[in-house]
């Protein structure tokens, strides 16, 4: 069935790094804009970073700019989020999402109607 599956979460010390991966199954990956979102306990879900179909255009939240990098490998159907200089406030459940888009250059974040994964927990210890 069509789905996206996150991996790579874990526990890390402040200042450390993690790389999240999101594998897309049973969908034509390069027809979908992709995004990472996160939700901390008691807080609303927020956009972290999103990427166009061809990887040439991205959106990055101010809170992670300069520390997190989104990328995709369309030959492997995988989306990545490289997270450096992690802070305790980055602790959250991280979600991958996909949504079909007609234009390969447009960077937009998937909506709630897109395809969402189950999430990967990232915990940053101070």
């Amino acid at each position: 069935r069509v789905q996206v599956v996150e991996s790579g979460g874990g526990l890390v010390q402040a200042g450390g790094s993690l790389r999240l991966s999101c594998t897309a199954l049973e969908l034509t990956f390069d027809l979908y804009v992709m995004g990472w979102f996160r939700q901390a306990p008691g807080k609303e879900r927020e956009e972290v970073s999103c990427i166009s179909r061809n990887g040439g255009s991205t959106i990055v939240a101010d809170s992670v700019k300069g520390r997190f990098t989104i990328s995709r490998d369309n030959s492997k159907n995988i989306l990545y989020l490289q997270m450096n200089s992690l802070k305790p406030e980055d602790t959250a459940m991280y979600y991958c999402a996909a949504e079909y888009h007609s234009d390969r250059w447009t960077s937009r974040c998937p909506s709630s109607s897109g395809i969402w994964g189950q999430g990967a927990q990232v915990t940053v210890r101070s």
Side-chain angles (χ1 to χ4, degrees):
R1 64 186 177 96
V2 175
Q3 59 180 327
V4 293
V5 181
E6 303 93 340
S7 60
L11 174 65
V12 64
Q13 291 287 118
S17 298
L18 279 176
R19 188 175 77 161
L20 298 180
S21 298
C22 171
T23 301
L25 304 173
E26 302 296 330
L27 60 79
T28 306
F29 189 63
D30 63 3
L31 295 183
Y32 288 74
V33 292
M34 302 293 298
W36 289 101
F37 300 76
R38 68 185 181 185
Q39 187 167 22
K43 294 188 176 181
E44 291 190 357
R45 187 176 69 198
E46 63 171 332
E47 296 175 358
V48 176
S49 190
C50 302
I51 191 167
S52 61
R53 285 172 43 187
N54 64 2
S57 181
T58 62
I59 298 169
V60 183
D62 287 343
S63 58
V64 305
K65 199 163 290 184
R67 300 188 297 121
F68 290 13
T69 303
I70 191 171
S71 62
R72 63 190 294 165
D73 187 336
N74 285 352
S75 68
K76 297 181 179 178
N77 288 11
I78 300 178
L79 174 74
Y80 300 102
L81 185 68
Q82 179 65 45
M83 304 183 293
N84 299 329
S85 302
L86 282 159
K87 305 175 181 179
E89 51 263 44
D90 295 318
T91 295
M93 186 71 78
Y94 283 71
Y95 297 91
C96 168
E99 190 163 33
Y100 170 80
H101 196 279
S102 59
D103 181 73
R104 59 197 295 263
W105 278 101
T106 298
S107 57
R108 59 165 289 174
C109 288
S111 70
S112 57
S113 301
I115 301 163
W116 289 76
Q118 293 298 308
Q121 178 66 40
V122 172
T123 302
V124 184
R125 182 185 294 165
S126 58

